[in-house]
Amino acid sequence: MAYLSPALNVMVAAARKAGRPLIRDFGELENLQISQKGPADFVTSADKRTEQILVEELTRVRPGYGFLAEETGAIEGKDRTHRFIIDPIDGTTNFMHGIPHFAISIGLEREGQLVSAVVFNPVTDDLFTAEKGHGAYLNNKRLRVAARKNMGEAVIATGLPFMGKDGHARTQAELKIMMAATAGVRRFGAASLDLAYVAAGRFDGFWEHGLSPWDVAGGILLVREAGGMVSDLDGRTAALEAGHIAAANEVLHPQMLKLLKGAAAANQ
Ligand code: IPD
């Protein structure tokens, strides 16, 4: 059975509650794909409504906790020691295109340390949870990062910058090096699930630039509690606010950082 602290229980209940209307919205989107206007407005309101449900539910049971949420930004709480970090729909582009790979991500910080995490894909009903010191789970199955030690056998996930984002040349340099060094590079489109898949041993590693704390808060704890290493791309452990991240097991993590450093040098 997954270990659920009282706080984690509350987070799971909030994610499940917010997930139900999101599944209905996702069904609606199939019809909207063919309209000229496209589903952008619809998705924005789904995003906002999901965040509102999460904030309301979590505030009801944990009044006073602060928030950092994608749509609303920072909400200061009376209790300065606790903060929920929320992405209502991580993988918004997938959601908008009817691709069932997106997640509600919630991380809880206590005294600046991530202590509880939920990453929930409501369509597949994959519920990833982690509690500091008590392991990471997919539904009720305990997770462990993959044990592969050679980059040549590793499948590594990443994120690619799109129109309007910077870092295209850097990404091309990184891909050139990673494609040549690994068994495959994947771009699935939801950073929280990329990290959850590293925790589950599905991906051997993950790196990305240009991320926000809400994209990674839940996933960072999942990987750490599954026995993996997470850092920023300079190897510092404070990966939450850095905007760039690398995650893998303890053998592949330094190898990934070295390869990516090589890519940075090649891109100078
Ligand atoms: C995005 C996803 C995506 C990553 C982007 C993020 P959002 O989050 O995590 O995988 O490549 O950088 O912004 O916007 O869908 O919450």
Side-chain angles (χ1 to χ4, degrees):
M1 283 295 276
Y3 175 89
L4 291 185
S5 67
L8 195 48
N9 231 330
V10 162
M11 290 158 65
V12 168
R16 286 205 183 278
K17 183 161 186 184
R20 282 191 285 276
L22 206 50
I23 295 172
R24 283 199 295 277
D25 290 340
F26 186 68
E28 283 283 308
L29 275 168
E30 279 181 354
N31 306 326
L32 287 172
Q33 296 304 331
I34 47 168
S35 79
Q36 277 290 327
K37 194 168 165 245
D41 294 347
F42 183 85
V43 171
T44 306
S45 58
D47 226 337
K48 287 196 171 137
R49 203 214 31 240
T50 305
E51 186 165 302
Q52 194 185 340
I53 295 173
L54 293 170
V55 172
E56 274 171 18
E57 280 303 299
L58 294 169
T59 304
R60 193 170 56 77
V61 275
R62 289 291 185 276
Y65 283 22
F67 287 89
L68 177 65
E70 185 180 26
E71 300 298 321
T72 331
I75 307 172
E76 288 240 326
K78 278 198 190 120
D79 177 344
R80 296 292 163 94
T81 59
H82 289 91
R83 174 168 82 145
F84 290 113
I85 304 174
I86 294 180
D87 195 340
I89 308 178
D90 181 44
T92 322
T93 306
N94 284 346
F95 180 79
M96 191 184 302
H97 285 254
I99 300 167
H101 191 81
F102 57 89
I104 292 169
S105 174
I106 314 172
L108 173 63
E109 269 185 346
R110 181 173 301 130
E111 311 275 7
Q113 297 252 334
L114 287 165
V115 290
S116 315
V118 172
V119 174
F120 177 49
N121 179 341
V123 178
T124 58
D125 207 35
D126 277 348
L127 177 72
F128 294 90
T129 54
E131 179 77 19
K132 191 165 192 274
H134 292 277
Y137 291 82
L138 167 53
N139 301 319
N140 282 317
K141 187 172 158 259
R142 182 95 189 233
L143 299 180
R144 185 82 207 148
V145 290
R148 284 185 198 86
K149 291 187 168 58
N150 301 320
M151 283 305 275
E153 294 169 357
V155 170
I156 308 287
T158 190
L160 306 177
F162 40 89
M163 189 176 64
K165 291 244 185 182
D166 62 10
H168 288 227
R170 175 187 59 211
T171 305
Q172 282 165 7
E174 289 177 348
L175 284 175
K176 190 173 176 203
I177 284 188
M178 295 302 265
M179 282 156 57
T182 64
V185 178
R186 299 286 183 272
R187 196 310 186 225
F188 276 27
S192 62
L193 287 171
D194 289 332
L195 287 162
Y197 280 26
V198 173
R202 295 173 178 175
F203 292 147
D204 299 287
F206 168 65
W207 92 95
E208 188 169 348
H209 300 262
L211 291 168
S212 301
W214 44 81
D215 296 316
V216 295
I220 288 175
L221 188 64
L222 284 167
V223 174
R224 289 192 176 139
E225 285 300 316
M229 289 181 71
V230 186
S231 72
D232 69 9
L233 289 170
D234 300 314
R236 289 184 290 249
T237 49
L240 182 71
E241 314 269 354
H244 42 86
I245 195 165
N249 69 31
E250 60 183 5
V251 179
L252 293 183
H253 183 265
Q255 294 181 42
M256 267 178 67
L257 289 183
K258 199 169 163 202
L259 287 167
L260 292 167
K261 242 193 181 89
N267 189 43
Q268 288 299 310

